[in-house]
């Protein structure tokens, strides 16, 4: 049996960032991660970091390689009606921007710090239950290398994702679930090819949505809207590139084509929205995907998870320093205000840029009208830019 102040279930970016913030505040923790280190460091997810996330990583001591290798982005390009319009983030938000730095690299940096001088980080630890949420010492049962073990904690934080077990510590008659399933998916592609543009391109077309992103100056991350149930094997590299050329086409440059390269991975990503309330029950807290899922269109998933653990780390530091649980008691309400704004923004971006299989020509004209307003109204453009770069974290 082990004991720690904070038991963290899940060694993804949220759990690892929380562990690092707690370490810097002098609070001990143990991180339990189901997968092995190699799997965690190769798990492909988001790559857009809001300014607040970037600042939190720097404060946690994980900013050196990000600042050297990350790609600052000061805007995005919207393409619709075969025309393009760029949104300049700093001029619209008072100086804010975002950083392109893959989640795989964030995780590698945080793991290296945790193993160097942090608390225990246990890979291959399968958490089977979280019990005693309403007691003074909740218990985490887990199995590692075939041996059943017990971790007692002052607090437990579930950073174990949508399919994790921590959410089950909140009784069904206590929690409320809000969710939406979208009628399309994304085909995500990683390719050894230079990026389309030096910033992200979000494209609305009558054939569906497309997104041209990047991982580095030589590696592109590309997405195509596809029907639910699509098999990635049905999409050859040639078909992927041809469809991207079509959806990203511009009237001003009719001969323009993407620079092609080998497709190194492809996968279909379902689009869903999900929120669990409350995000705290007794001494068990939920953070990141364990509490909420957003469609990837707004680039909010990783950033929402980071915001959750930043708020929680501050609350735990206040409790440690003063004995006051005031911020801990406010955790769920504080985070949910930001969560629902991010859900709204992600839903707006998704509905505006995607072509629903059942939508009418009238609906399409409404989408184009909205995009035209963003392109011509500083107020509409600022609203998008402020949400994309990230709303301020609560004090």
């Amino acid at each position: 049996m082990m004991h720690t102040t904070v038991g963290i279930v899940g060694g993804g970016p949220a759990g690892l960032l929380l562990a690092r913030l707690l370490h810097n505040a002098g609070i001990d923790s143990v991180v339990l991660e189901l997968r092995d280190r190699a799997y965690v460091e190769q798990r492909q997810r988001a790559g857009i970091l809001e300014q607040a996330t970037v600042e939190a990583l720097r404060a946690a001591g994980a900013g050196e390689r990000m600042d050297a290798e990350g790609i600052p982005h000061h805007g995005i390009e919207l393409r619709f009606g075969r025309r393009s319009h760029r949104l300049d983030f700093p001029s619209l938000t008072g100086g804010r921007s975002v950083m392109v730095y893959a989640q795989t690299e964030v995780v590698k940096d945080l793991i290296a710090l945790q193993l160097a001088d942090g608390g225990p980080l246990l890979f291959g630890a399968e958490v089977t239950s979280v019990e005693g949420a309403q007691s003074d010492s909740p218990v985490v049962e887990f199995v590692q290398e075939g041996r059943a073990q017990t971790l007692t904690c002052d607090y437990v934080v579930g950073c174990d994702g949508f399919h994790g077990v921590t959410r089950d510590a909140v009784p069904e008659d206590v929690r409320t679930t809000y969710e939406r399933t979208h009628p399309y998916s994304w085909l995500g592609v990683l390719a050894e090819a230079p990026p389309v543009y030096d910033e992200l391109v979000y494209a609305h077309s009558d054939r569906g949505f497309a997104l041209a992103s990047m991982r580095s100056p030589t590696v592109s991350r590309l997405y195509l809207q596809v029907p639910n149930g699509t098999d990635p094997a049905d999409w050859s590299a040639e078909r992927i590139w041809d469809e991207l050329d079509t959806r990203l086409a511009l009237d001003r440059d009719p001969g323009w084509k993407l620079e092609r390269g080998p497709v190194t991975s492809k996968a279909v990503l379902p689009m869903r929205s999900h929120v669990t309330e409350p995000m705290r029950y007794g001494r068990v807290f939920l953070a990141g995907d364990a509490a909420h899922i957003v469609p990837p269109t707004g680039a909010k998933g990783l950033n929402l998870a980071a915001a959750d653990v930043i708020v929680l780390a501050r609350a735990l530091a206040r409790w440690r320093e003063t004995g006051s649980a005031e911020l801990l008691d406010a955790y769920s309400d504080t985070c949910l205000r930001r969560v629902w704004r991010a859900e709204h923004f992600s839903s707006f971006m998704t509905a505006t840029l995607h072509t629903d299989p059942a939508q009418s020509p009238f609906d399409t004209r409404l989408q184009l009208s909205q995009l035209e307003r963003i392109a011509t109204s500083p107020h509409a453009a600022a609203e998008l830019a402020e949400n994309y770069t990230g709303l301020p974290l609560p004090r």
Side-chain angles (χ1 to χ4, degrees):
M1 182 178 291
M2 296 182 289
H3 181 81
T4 189
T5 302
V6 182
I8 302 173
V9 184
L16 293 167
L17 178 58
L18 176 60
R20 193 64 196 170
L21 294 172
L22 295 178
H23 172 80
N24 291 347
I27 300 173
D28 61 291
S29 68
V30 173
V31 181
L32 305 173
E33 166 54 42
L34 173 63
R35 303 289 189 170
D36 61 29
R37 180 178 180 178
Y39 181 95
V40 174
E41 291 185 340
Q42 295 170 12
R43 190 161 43 195
Q44 292 287 341
R45 291 292 188 274
I48 305 297
L49 306 181
E50 294 176 359
Q51 186 158 322
T53 305
V54 169
E55 292 169 356
L57 289 168
R58 288 172 180 152
E64 183 176 353
R65 196 162 69 93
M66 174 185 67
D67 286 330
E69 301 178 13
I71 307 171
H73 276 199
H74 302 293
I76 59 172
E77 181 179 313
L78 296 176
R79 293 191 182 184
F80 58 96
R82 297 178 64 89
R83 295 177 292 121
S84 67
H85 178 79
R86 181 178 180 271
L87 299 183
D88 183 77
F89 291 159
S91 65
L92 292 166
T93 64
R96 297 206 304 273
S97 58
V98 296
M99 176 83 77
V100 175
Y101 190 61
Q103 176 175 309
T104 52
E105 307 313 301
V106 172
V107 167
K108 289 174 186 176
D109 296 341
L110 291 169
I111 286 176
L113 288 170
Q114 187 73 4
L115 295 178
D117 62 4
L121 167 53
L122 307 182
F123 292 104
E126 181 183 2
V127 174
T128 55
S129 69
V130 177
E131 306 291 343
Q134 294 286 61
S135 72
D136 292 337
S137 187
V139 176
V140 181
E141 302 284 355
F142 68 99
V143 177
Q144 187 184 35
E145 297 180 349
R147 186 162 64 95
Q149 301 188 57
T150 300
L151 175 67
T152 61
C153 322
D154 294 330
Y155 295 99
V156 176
V157 183
C159 300
D160 48 346
F162 183 76
H163 298 290
V165 303
T166 312
R167 188 166 60 243
D168 292 336
V170 184
E172 289 188 3
D173 61 346
V174 172
R175 68 179 191 253
T176 302
T177 298
Y178 304 90
E179 54 190 345
R180 173 189 292 167
T181 300
H182 298 273
Y184 33 70
S185 301
W186 276 11
L187 175 65
V189 174
L190 206 62
E192 294 179 358
V196 174
Y197 185 56
D198 56 2
E199 293 173 337
L200 271 65
V201 179
Y202 287 78
H204 173 285
S205 82
D206 56 6
R207 297 179 64 86
F209 169 76
L211 170 60
S213 181
M214 64 199 69
R215 284 292 178 264
S216 75
T218 59
V219 176
S220 291
R221 184 69 165 154
L222 305 156
Y223 299 94
L224 287 167
Q225 176 188 339
V226 294
N228 288 339
T230 292
D231 184 348
D234 293 338
W235 283 78
S236 66
E238 182 179 12
R239 183 184 179 190
I240 289 168
W241 289 115
D242 287 347
E243 191 65 25
L244 285 164
D245 281 341
T246 300
R247 296 191 193 186
L248 294 167
L250 295 170
D251 282 341
R252 73 183 184 201
D253 192 2
W256 174 86
K257 299 289 183 183
L258 288 159
E259 187 171 340
R260 303 187 175 193
V263 172
T264 57
S265 72
K266 54 186 176 181
V268 171
L269 315 174
M271 305 279 283
R272 62 174 180 257
S273 304
H274 175 101
V275 179
T276 293
E277 295 187 9
M279 291 173 59
R280 184 243 179 124
Y281 179 70
R283 289 184 173 237
V284 173
F285 297 83
L286 303 178
D289 287 1
H292 42 72
I293 299 284
V294 292
T297 325
K300 293 293 140 207
L302 171 58
N303 294 293
L304 267 186
D308 290 346
V309 299
I310 292 168
V311 170
L312 185 53
R314 291 174 179 172
L316 287 164
R318 173 73 65 85
W319 164 77
R320 178 65 172 268
E321 293 166 3
T322 69
S324 171
E326 180 183 5
L327 295 184
L328 290 172
D329 293 340
Y331 168 77
S332 183
D333 289 341
T334 301
C335 290
L336 283 169
R337 282 192 291 272
R338 186 183 182 88
V339 166
W340 280 112
R341 291 314 309 153
E343 290 284 357
H344 183 276
F345 175 66
S346 298
S347 294
F348 165 77
M349 291 285 284
T350 301
T352 302
L353 290 164
H354 290 72
T355 304
D356 189 313
Q359 80 182 39
S360 67
F362 184 89
D363 296 323
T364 301
R365 292 296 299 156
L366 290 177
Q367 290 177 317
L368 293 172
S369 174
Q370 180 62 53
L371 289 165
E372 190 68 38
R373 173 160 174 78
I374 293 168
T376 57
S377 165
H379 300 291
E383 177 70 12
L384 191 155
E386 287 173 357
N387 280 276
Y388 196 96
T389 57
L391 300 176
L393 288 170
R395 295 283 181 184

